[in-house]
């Protein structure tokens, strides 16, 4: 079958978080399983765009209210990612270094969606499936169903995959006229709680809804930033599918971003070498257990707990542990984390920013990875950590609940229930005791490294959903 994935991110073209990793990898495994897979993302000014070769396969212009934009569709010539990658170039809107965070984000992503659909019409061949990802592509299921101009696409089956339901792409009625003309009797599909809500539109109009873990689907029925009732109503067409990881990119034996490679056979020495490199760079002591955090510094990720938890854990265990943090986000949290450097020199460090290479080294060189998240739809860090022999310390929520089991229950990590400084510190103390019991510590590492979180198994679950919604339509 022909499958289109339409998304705001795709690794390595454009990445902010886990959405990019999923959209970068899942299509490759679907293509390997014999399907024709195309991935379409906006053409940002990124390193990948500038270092690779693209050909223009289509161009046109779109109208967004009173604005007119020229767009081009660029195809990466060599299919080096394992599927056809297309970029929608709209220079005024996307030729910028960042992916999100601009005042005109609504205009940017609406134009992107309209341009993709115009191009699909121009191809004169409808795909079997359009898989939309998150709210940035949430209007597509509505537009192809109800906008007159796109009637020819109305039979395409659509899926919305929710990577993060907190962000919903709200906009006001003053922008309603951006949406290509439709019969106003359908306007209710666009609305939720007195605003236009892109994610709600997708959940209402797509033929199937997937979330990135089963537990997250349960959770959004109870807490979903205002959409709980909608998720309850649409439960029948929803399924939670746990993300996989790209085991070619994330492989400690071949990782291009590591100098010292290792496997389950020699992880002790391999991890120690990576730890030494990391500790040298951040002025830490490689003889002590190293606790790290990688991620966006927001309350959602428990980022607000990190400064106090780090200070408390370091005071209690001073001389015993190291803590290293990589991330960016809330300026207050960043400031507090930077301030701790003075007080705990030699035992603590922080890198504010985004650094893919450093993230790989941290997964390889740390002993424990901290994930005190309040919300974690799936979470990829814990799966990368397990594969790299780093024990995850997680709050039981969403995908973390589905992938990490406490070592006290014969599992692969350390778990707590509350998003609190006390719970994080309690887990750190348990980790210190575990670290001192080398046999136990190593056997938990081995257990984590042996888990198969590859996409091969998971990708079939998506295909089953696609088949179900295609068959339902034929009957
Ligand atoms: P999110 O909610 O941010 O999408 P995920 O756990 O699903 O969280 O995915 C996070 C991804 O982003 C992982 O690949 C992680 O390594 C990466 N990442 C997050 N922050 C940083 C950073 N500051 N530098 C490098 N990689 C990062």
């Amino acid at each position: 079958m022909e499958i289109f994935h339409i998304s705001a991110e795709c690794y390595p073209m454009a990445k902010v978080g886990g959405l990019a990793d999923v959209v970068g990898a899942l299509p490759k495994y679907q293509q390997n399983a014999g399907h024709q897979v195309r991935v379409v993302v906006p053409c940002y000014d990124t390193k990948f765009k500038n270092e690779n070769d693209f050909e223009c396969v289509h161009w046109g212009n779109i109208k967004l209210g009173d604005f007119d934009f020229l767009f081009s569709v660029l195809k990466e010539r060599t299919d080096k990612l394992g599927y056809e990658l297309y970029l929608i170039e709209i220079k005024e809107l996307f030729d910028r270094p960042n992916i999100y965070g601009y005042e005109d984000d609504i205009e940017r992503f609406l134009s992107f969606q309209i341009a993709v659909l115009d191009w699909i019409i121009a191809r004169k061949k409808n795909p079997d499936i359009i898989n939309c990802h998150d709210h940035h592509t949430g209007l597509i299921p509505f537009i192809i169903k109800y906008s007159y101009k796109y009637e020819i696409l109305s039979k395409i089956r659509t899926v919305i995959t929710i990577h993060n339901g907190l962000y919903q792409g709200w906009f006001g009625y003053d922008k309603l006229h951006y949406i290509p003309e439709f019969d106003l009797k359908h306007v209710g599909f666009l609305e939720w709680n007195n605003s236009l809500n892109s994610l709600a539109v997708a959940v209402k109009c797509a033929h199937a809804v997937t979330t990135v873990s089963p537990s997250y689907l349960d959770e959004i029925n109870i807490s979903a930033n205002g959409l709980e009732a909608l998720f309850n109503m649409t439960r029948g067409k929803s399924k939670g599918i746990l993300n996989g990881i790209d085991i070619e990119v994330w492989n400690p034996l071949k990782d291009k971003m590591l100098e010292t490679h290792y496997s389950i056979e020699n992880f002790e020495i391999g991890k120690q070498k990576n730890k030494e490199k990391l500790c040298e760079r951040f002025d830490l002591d490689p003889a002590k257990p190293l606790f790290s955090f990688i991620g966006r510094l927001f309350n959602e990720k428990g980022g607000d707990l990190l400064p106090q938890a780090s200070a408390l854990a370091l005071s209690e265990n001073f001389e015993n542990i190291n803590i290293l943090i990589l991330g960016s986000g809330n300026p207050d949290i960043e400031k507090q984390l930077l301030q701790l450097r003075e007080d705990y020199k030699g035992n603590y460090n922080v890198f504010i920013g985004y650094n893919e290479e450093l993230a790989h080294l941290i997964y390889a060189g740390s002993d424990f990875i901290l994930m005190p998240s309040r919300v974690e739809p799936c979470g990829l860090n814990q799966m990368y950590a397990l594969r790299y022999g780093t024990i995850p310390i997680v709050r039981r929520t969403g995908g973390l609940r589905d992938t990490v089991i406490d070592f006290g229950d014969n599992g692969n990590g350390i778990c707590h229930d509350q998003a609190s400084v006390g719970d994080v510190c309690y887990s750190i103390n348990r980790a210190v005791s575990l670290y001192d019991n080398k046999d136990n510590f190593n056997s938990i590492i081995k257990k984590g490294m042996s888990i198969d979180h590859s996409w091969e198994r998971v990708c079939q679950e998506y295909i089953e959903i696609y088949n179900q919604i295609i068959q339902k339509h034929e009957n």
Side-chain angles (χ1 to χ4, degrees), residues 32 75 137 143 153 161 193 198 204 249 403 443:
N32 289 346
K75 178 182 179 297
T137 56
I143 296 174
L153 307 178
T161 298
N193 283 347
S198 306
K204 291 182 205 179
V249 175
T403 49
S443 85

Side-chain angles (χ1 to χ4, degrees), residues 15-19 21 163-164 243 250 294-296 300-301 326-328 351 353-359 363 371 376-382 384:
K15 173 168 169 176
V16 172
L19 168 63
D21 288 354
H163 301 256
N164 194 334
N243 281 338
W250 297 96
I294 301 172
R296 295 178 294 115
E300 175 194 344
K301 295 277 176 195
L326 162 64
S328 62
F351 182 105
Y354 185 93
N355 188 322
E356 190 75 26
E357 207 162 315
L358 177 57
Y363 288 118
M371 298 187 74
E376 198 62 80
C378 177
L380 295 170
N381 297 20
Q382 80 281 14
Y384 299 146

Side-chain angles (χ1 to χ4, degrees), residues 134-180:
D134 275 352
H135 72 83
H136 324 95
T137 56
L139 290 163
I140 286 175
F142 176 89
I143 296 174
I144 68 175
K145 249 186 183 160
Y146 300 116
S147 288
Y148 302 121
K149 182 178 164 193
Y150 299 93
E151 203 189 335
I152 196 162
L153 307 178
S154 63
K155 295 278 187 305
I156 302 173
R157 308 280 93 184
T158 55
V159 177
I160 174 74
T161 298
I162 301 174
H163 301 256
N164 194 334
L166 284 180
Y167 307 97
Q168 299 171 4
W170 307 270
F171 57 107
Y173 287 86
D174 55 321
K175 295 186 176 170
L176 182 62
H177 65 297
Y178 286 169
I179 297 175

Side-chain angles (χ1 to χ4, degrees), residues 325-340:
I325 290 169
L326 162 64
S328 62
N330 179 323
D332 270 353
I333 302 177
E334 291 180 0
K335 198 170 140 206
Q336 291 177 55
L337 290 171
L338 285 167
Q339 276 168 353
L340 288 180

